[in-house]
Amino acid sequence: MESKIMYIENKSSGHHGPAWIGFVEFSKSGQTVYFNGKALKKLKNPGTSANHFDIETSEEYWVSGVKKNGKDRHQSGSGKIMIDKNSIDEYLKLVGFNSLDEKKFIIIEFTETDKSRFYEIENAETEFRDESRNATFWDNNRRKLILDNIFLHTM
């Protein structure tokens, strides 16, 4: 599997959600990004603020390459970015900096991702199927609903 340093931001809280920089792995198809114990699947119809969703929680995420100018957060966003300690040297090379700005980063260590656990989640049969326009989390082949729209269950 290909491993690459990426910027990931949870968009559930708008531009102020938790954000990470570190090495991620991609599935063979490139449709799923694995990092820090999470599996983020590419949205079939990505929006301007999210292009992936967590297959466990349905939270939306923005996943992109690291910006060479070091300004990965949206211009309206704020908050420190968690950076995996194993990716710091590579990150500094990419952006051309000599050191991390402690005002912008928190150094953490990513946990290993158990990809087999996500394979089981994606291949489990869903009990509730919603084929309306509100159900946006179909797999890319439209074979089955991966996650149901959370709002439909609460209405």
Side-chain angles (χ1 to χ4, degrees), residues 3-145:
S3 184
K4 187 174 180 181
I5 193 167
M6 301 292 282
Y7 173 77
I8 301 112
E9 184 176 326
N10 184 317
K11 300 308 268 184
S12 300
S13 304
H15 299 304
H16 308 286
W20 301 262
I21 289 177
F23 286 106
V24 304
E25 290 183 80
F26 293 92
S27 62
K28 288 179 187 175
S29 68
Q31 298 299 303
T32 306
V33 175
Y34 301 102
F35 93 101
N36 201 27
K38 298 182 180 303
L40 308 178
K41 187 139 184 143
K42 192 174 278 191
L43 281 167
K44 184 172 178 71
N45 298 312
T48 56
S49 64
N51 57 9
H52 287 74
F53 69 95
D54 185 318
I55 67 169
E56 282 186 299
T57 66
S58 77
E59 292 177 307
E60 293 188 348
Y61 286 79
W62 180 259
V63 179
S64 68
V66 172
K67 291 184 181 175
K68 300 229 184 222
N69 65 5
K71 296 182 179 181
D72 293 289
R73 280 242 185 231
H74 188 278
Q75 62 187 7
S76 300
S78 65
K80 288 189 175 184
I81 297 171
M82 293 171 271
I83 186 165
D84 179 39
K85 71 177 192 174
N86 299 310
S87 65
I88 293 173
D89 291 340
E90 183 71 21
Y91 173 75
L92 292 174
K93 280 187 227 170
L94 282 170
V95 295
F97 297 161
N98 293 323
S99 62
L100 287 179
D101 182 348
E102 293 179 19
K103 294 176 187 167
K104 295 182 181 181
F105 294 98
I106 299 171
I107 299 171
I108 65 166
E109 185 171 3
F110 280 5
T111 59
E112 192 171 330
T113 303
D114 178 8
K115 294 172 213 73
S116 64
R117 183 169 62 94
F118 297 107
Y119 178 82
E120 290 172 14
I121 291 170
E122 285 194 287
N123 289 292
E125 286 297 317
T126 55
E127 291 179 24
F128 175 77
R129 302 225 176 195
D130 178 2
E131 296 191 27
S132 74
R133 294 180 70 194
N134 293 327
T136 57
F137 299 111
W138 286 86
D139 74 359
N140 288 334
N141 297 317
R142 302 219 24 105
R143 288 182 299 214
K144 75 173 189 175
L145 188 63

